[in-house]
Amino acid sequence: MPNPTPLLFLMASILVWGLLSEDSGAATVVAIVILPFVTGGLVYFLSKRPIAAVVAVVAAGAMARLYVDLFGMKARPEHFATVLFCLALPFWKRYQWPRPRWALADLFLVLYMAANLLSSLIMSVDPPKTFRWAMQQVLVILPYFLLRIFCFDRERFRKAFNILLIVGAAQAAIGVFCFFSNLAFDTEFGMEMGQYGAIPGTYGVDYEANILGAISAAAFVMMLVMYLKERRPILLWGTAVTFAGMLIALARSAIVASVIAVGLFAILSIKAGLIDMSGFKRVVGALLVTCMVIVPFIIPLYVDRFSTIDVSDISADDDTAFRVVALVTAMDGITAHPILGNGTSSFQLLVSYSDMDLGDSDKGTWISNTELRVLHDTGIVGFGLLLCFLGNLAWRAVKILKQEWIAELLALLLACVVYAITFQATEGTLMEFFWVHIGLLGCAISVYENQLKQANSNSNSSGNAYT
C-alpha cells in the first residue's frame, strides 16, 4: 500500500492554490477533487518509467497551442509535464543515479530565473499578474535542469536527443497535414485564418505559425547533420518531413535561418574534410522530391507574402509594421526601467493595439524580439545573465568540437543558430521547447566534457606508465 501522505499534501496544495486564485467556482472544486488522483496516478507511472517523463516534457514543448483554464490561468501541456517530472523525480533516487555535474552556466540561469521573479514583484504595474507569469517562466525553464539530471551519460543523452528528433518530425508532419487538409476540405484545425491577410497561417499544435517554422527549421538542420553522419533512411525521411513543415509555415525568418545554418554546416564540413558527396546527393534528391510535391501549392502564397515587403515603406507589410512599431514602443519601457525592467510579460499590461495606432482594440500586445523582450521585462540585469548563460554554453560547445567532431553536439549548436535568427522576428524563450533544446545542449556539453577529460586522463596515465 503506497504511503498516502504525498497525495494528501498535493490535495492540500491544490486546495490553497484554488482558494487564492481568481476563479473559485465549480470548476475549481472539481479540479481540487479530481486533479490530485489523476496526478498521483501519472506520477506513479513516471516513477516506474523515467524515460516516459522525458518523452512527456519534450513532446509538451511542441504543443503550446493547447491549454485549459485552470484557477484563472492558461495551463498548457508544458506546465503539466514539468510539474509531473518534478513530482516523479524524488522517486528515482532508488536508481542511485550519479549527481549532476553543475557548471557556471547553470548558476547564471538560476540567477536569470530569480531576476524574472524579482522584477515582477517590485517593478511591475501589476505585481500579482507579472509574478504569476514569472512563475510560468520558471516552469518552462525547469526542463533544462530536469534533463541535466536525467542525461548523466552518453546513452541516456542519445535517447533524449532521439526523442527530440522524433517530436520535431511529428509536429512538422501535423502541420503539413493541417495545411493540406485546409487546402482540400477548408478545415480550420491547426490553422490561424487570416493571419497573413487573406492567407491562413499554419501552426499545427505549436503556439503559432512562426514557432512551427522555427522548430521545423531547427529539426531540419539536426536531421540533416545526423543523416550525413549515420546514413539511416529514417533520418532522411525526417529531413524531408521537417523541410516540408518549414515551408508550409510561411515563416520567412525560418527559411533564412535554415539557409544560414546549412551554409555554416557546409563550411565547417569542408574545413574538416568530412563532405561525402553520395550522402549529399541523397539529401538533395529527397528535398527536390519534397519541393515537387509542396511547391505548386505554396508558390502563390509565398509570392503574396514577399510581395508586401517594401524597404522604403515598412507599413506596406502588416507583420513588419506591427513588429517595428512594437519594438519602438518597447524602448519607452526599457528606458524607463533599464536596470531591472518592468516584470515578466509586462508589455501586454502597458501597451495595447490602440496605443500603437494599430486599431481601436484595448487588447494587450507583445514584443516579437527576444533581446528587447528580455530587456523590457528584466532589464540589463536579466539580459546580462541570459547572455552569460548562453555565451558560456556556446564557448564550451565550440571548445569540445575543436577537439572532437561530435555530430549530436554540432546539430544542437546549429539549431541554436536557427533559433537565434528566428527569435529576431518572434519570441520563443517564454515557451518550453527552446529550454528543452538548450537543456539537451547542456547535457551534451556535460557528457562529452567528462568523456574528453577521462580520455585525456587515461592518455596521460598511459604515457606516465610508459615513461
Side-chain angles (χ1 to χ4, degrees):
M1 179 72 179
N3 188 340
T5 304
L7 179 61
L8 295 175
F9 179 78
L10 180 62
M11 292 180 67
S13 300
I14 293 176
L15 176 61
V16 172
W17 184 14
L19 293 176
L20 294 178
S21 70
E22 297 176 357
D23 177 16
S24 55
T28 299
V29 176
V30 173
I32 290 171
V33 174
I34 296 177
L35 191 59
F37 292 97
V38 175
T39 303
L42 290 173
V43 169
Y44 178 77
F45 172 76
L46 296 180
S47 68
K48 297 292 185 180
R49 296 171 177 82
I51 192 67
V54 176
V55 173
V57 165
V58 177
M63 296 189 291
R65 186 76 179 196
L66 310 177
Y67 71 89
V68 294
D69 287 314
L70 187 63
F71 306 136
M73 298 174 62
K74 288 184 178 179
R76 305 185 187 278
E78 56 193 24
H79 302 141
F80 289 112
T82 300
V83 170
L84 290 172
F85 200 126
C86 291
L87 291 174
L89 196 60
F91 296 98
W92 297 343
K93 61 183 180 181
R94 65 178 181 272
Y95 295 116
Q96 297 181 345
W97 287 0
R99 295 180 62 183
R101 293 181 290 273
W102 301 115
L104 181 61
D106 306 321
L107 175 61
F108 284 133
L109 185 55
V110 170
L111 293 176
Y112 173 69
M113 295 161 67
N116 275 274
L117 296 172
L118 179 64
S119 175
S120 298
L121 274 176
I122 68 175
M123 301 299 296
S124 172
V125 295
D126 192 344
K129 285 186 177 180
T130 51
F131 184 74
R132 189 168 60 192
W133 293 331
M135 289 299 298
Q136 288 180 316
Q137 172 79 123
V138 169
L139 269 182
V140 299
I141 292 176
L142 276 178
Y144 170 87
F145 299 100
L146 300 176
L147 290 171
R148 289 289 314 281
I149 293 171
F150 177 83
C151 301
F152 57 78
D153 59 19
R154 187 170 181 172
E155 180 183 356
R156 282 177 174 264
F157 161 71
R158 187 55 199 262
K159 286 181 179 179
F161 179 77
N162 288 339
I163 291 169
L164 180 65
L165 293 180
I166 293 169
V167 169
Q171 59 90 38
I174 293 172
V176 172
F177 174 79
C178 293
F179 175 80
F180 280 104
S181 178
N182 173 259
L183 284 180
F185 307 109
D186 288 328
T187 56
E188 296 185 7
F189 56 85
M191 307 293 293
E192 186 72 40
M193 307 309 295
Q195 179 168 345
Y196 306 117
I199 301 174
T202 306
Y203 61 80
V205 290
D206 290 293
Y207 187 73
E208 52 106 14
N210 287 302
I211 297 299
L212 171 64
I215 300 179
S216 296
F220 164 67
V221 171
M222 289 191 290
M223 290 282 189
L224 176 63
V225 173
M226 295 310 300
Y227 173 73
L228 291 177
K229 178 202 173 187
E230 300 181 356
R231 300 299 181 79
R232 289 191 291 157
I234 189 67
L235 292 171
L236 187 60
W237 280 99
T239 302
V241 170
T242 51
F243 180 69
M246 177 183 67
L247 292 180
I248 58 92
L250 304 181
R252 296 172 295 201
S253 60
I255 295 174
V256 172
S258 65
V259 170
I260 293 174
V262 171
L264 184 58
F265 173 57
I267 293 171
L268 294 173
S269 299
I270 292 171
K271 289 184 65 177
L274 297 174
I275 283 289
D276 187 335
M277 292 307 297
S278 62
F280 177 75
K281 290 177 182 178
R282 290 191 182 94
V283 170
V284 171
L287 298 186
L288 285 176
V289 171
T290 304
C291 287
M292 290 173 63
V293 174
I294 291 182
V295 165
F297 300 99
I298 64 172
I299 279 183
L301 306 181
Y302 271 101
V303 169
D304 189 272
R305 286 278 285 136
F306 282 91
S307 65
T308 58
I309 297 178
D310 186 348
V311 178
S312 61
D313 182 13
I314 62 170
S315 62
D317 182 73
D318 292 338
D319 280 349
T320 304
F322 168 79
R323 288 184 171 92
V324 171
V325 173
L327 298 182
V328 172
T329 307
M331 292 303 299
D332 295 335
I334 294 172
T335 54
H337 301 104
I339 306 301
L340 290 177
N342 302 275
T344 303
S345 299
S346 56
F347 191 70
Q348 61 186 306
L349 298 175
L350 301 170
V351 181
S352 66
Y353 282 92
S354 59
D355 294 330
M356 297 195 304
D357 295 327
L358 295 175
D360 55 3
S361 173
D362 290 330
K363 182 181 178 181
T365 185
W366 67 94
I367 302 172
S368 57
N369 175 276
T370 294
E371 292 89 344
L372 284 183
R373 199 280 302 171
V374 174
L375 275 171
H376 182 276
D377 289 359
T378 62
I380 296 172
V381 172
F383 183 68
L385 290 168
L386 183 61
L387 277 184
C388 289
F389 164 70
L390 296 174
N392 183 272
L393 286 182
W395 174 73
R396 290 162 61 201
V398 171
K399 186 178 177 182
I400 293 171
L401 290 171
K402 286 181 177 179
Q403 299 178 65
E404 183 178 344
W405 186 270
I406 300 169
E408 295 92 339
L409 179 57
L410 179 62
L412 289 166
L413 197 58
L414 289 174
C416 286
V417 173
V418 171
Y419 288 136
I421 297 170
T422 55
F423 286 1
Q424 302 308 304
T426 190
E427 164 60 312
T429 59
L430 288 171
M431 288 171 280
E432 187 182 271
F433 75 93
F434 171 74
W435 296 105
V436 165
H437 186 97
I438 293 295
L440 285 178
L441 178 63
C443 294
I445 292 170
S446 178
V447 167
Y448 289 110
E449 272 183 344
N450 185 61
Q451 181 175 296
L452 290 174
K453 285 179 183 178
Q454 289 180 348
N456 292 334
S457 176
N458 293 336
S459 177
N460 292 335
S461 298
S462 299
N464 292 336
Y466 177 78
T467 303

